Amino acid sequence: KNEVEQSPQNLTAQEGEFITINCSYSVGISALHWLQQHPGGGIVSLFMLSSGKKKHGRLIATINIQEKHSSLHITASHPRDSAVYICAYTPNTGNQFYFGTGTSLTVIP
Amino acid sequence: KAGVTQTPRYLIKTRGQQVTLSCSPISGHRSVSWYQQTPGQGLQFLFEYFSETQRNKGNFPGRFSGRQFSNSRSEMNVSTLELGDSALYLCASSSTGTGDTQYFGPGTRLTVL
C-alpha cells in the first residue's frame, strides 16, 4: 500500500471553477509538499506545509496533522493551471521526497 | 541564482551499457536527491547526498549508484542497463536540514534500447 494516497487521479474542470485535490498519508512526516509538473517534466515546488494553511495567489494548501490529510485548492481555475499536481512528504530524517501518484488536472476554457 | 542543471538532457543507450548522469545544484545547496519517474511506477526516490555522504537510499538495486563531490555537484551511475531503466531521472537540491523545499532540475530522459 502506498504511504501517500491522492484523489482524484484525473480532474477536468471548466475555467473559473473551484478545484480541490486531496492527499492522505499514513506515516509520520517532517513536512508535506505540493508540487506541480507540466508536460515536459519540469517540477515546481508549490507549498511546503508542516501545519495549518498557506496561500499563494489563487492556490491554497491546508494540512491536518491529526487526520494525516492535506488539500490543495485552486480558486478561479484557468487553463494555464492544467498540469499534474503531486503531493509528497519528507520523513523525519533526511530531505528525500516520497510521492503520491499525482492528479492530472485539465482546465477547459 | 542559476537553477538546478542536469546533463545530458537526453540519452539513448542499449541494454548492458552503463550511463552516468550529472546534476549541478543551486549554489550553496548541500543536499542533492535523485528520483526516477516512469509511467508505471511514478516518481520514486533513488538516493540523497549531503556534504558528500549518502544520507538515505531508496529501494533500488545495486546497479544504481551515486556520489557527491566537494562542490556539491552529484553524479548517478547505472550499470548493466535494462529496458526497465528507461525513465526520466530528476535531481533536486535543497539548502540543508530536514523537510526543506527542494528545487528540481529539468531531468535527463534516458531511453534504453
Side-chain angles (χ1 to χ4, degrees):
Chain A
K1 183 182 183 300
N2 198 352
E3 295 165 337
V4 186
E5 301 283 348
Q6 268 185 256
S7 63
Q9 271 194 299
N10 297 284
L11 187 53
T12 301
Q14 292 288 332
E15 183 174 357
E17 283 187 7
F18 181 85
I19 289 163
T20 295
I21 300 171
N22 295 299
C23 175
S24 296
Y25 55 94
S26 58
V27 296
I29 67 171
S30 169
L32 191 288
H33 304 258
W34 282 100
L35 312 168
Q36 180 192 58
Q37 185 173 32
H38 280 283
I43 293 178
V44 174
S45 184
L46 298 173
F47 294 103
M48 181 178 72
L49 297 160
S50 53
S51 65
K53 176 179 174 178
K54 287 188 177 180
K55 184 176 189 291
H56 184 242
R58 295 179 294 105
L59 273 59
I60 302 165
T62 64
I63 187 168
N64 185 317
I65 300 294
Q66 285 73 32
E67 294 186 6
K68 291 187 164 63
H69 182 269
S70 178
S71 293
L72 176 69
H73 306 286
I74 305 175
T75 62
S77 58
H78 191 276
R80 65 175 174 266
D81 297 326
S82 298
V84 176
Y85 292 84
I86 304 164
C87 76
Y89 74 87
T90 43
N92 291 318
T93 56
N95 269 344
Q96 72 273 20
F97 282 7
Y98 296 98
F99 302 89
T101 52
T103 295
S104 179
L105 171 65
T106 303
V107 181
I108 299 169
Chain B
K1 262 186 187 178
V4 178
T5 58
Q6 291 187 245
T7 57
R9 293 292 310 277
Y10 301 92
L11 206 46
I12 299 175
K13 292 285 188 179
T14 56
R15 277 180 299 175
Q17 287 187 308
Q18 75 164 21
V19 67
T20 299
L21 312 182
S22 180
C23 172
S24 292
I26 291 172
S27 177
H29 283 192
R30 295 164 62 190
S31 170
V32 174
S33 298
W34 287 90
Y35 302 96
Q36 181 198 63
Q37 186 174 32
T38 60
Q41 299 297 319
L43 279 156
Q44 294 183 283
F45 167 66
L46 278 157
F47 24 68
E48 185 222 356
Y49 286 88
F50 182 80
S51 294
E52 301 180 67
T53 300
Q54 186 180 88
R55 191 158 66 168
N56 290 287
K57 189 177 190 303
N59 189 25
F60 277 82
R63 299 185 298 107
F64 292 81
S65 62
R67 58 178 175 169
Q68 187 180 33
F69 302 96
S70 58
N71 61 359
S72 292
R73 190 177 70 84
S74 178
E75 289 181 346
M76 68 163 281
N77 184 276
V78 188
S79 62
T80 318
L81 284 165
E82 301 177 359
L83 295 178
D85 297 332
S86 294
L88 180 67
Y89 290 89
L90 293 153
C91 80
S93 75
S94 60
S95 56
T96 187
T98 301
D100 281 350
T101 296
Q102 292 196 14
Y103 298 86
F104 285 79
T108 294
R109 175 77 61 185
L110 172 65
T111 302
V112 182
L113 301 176

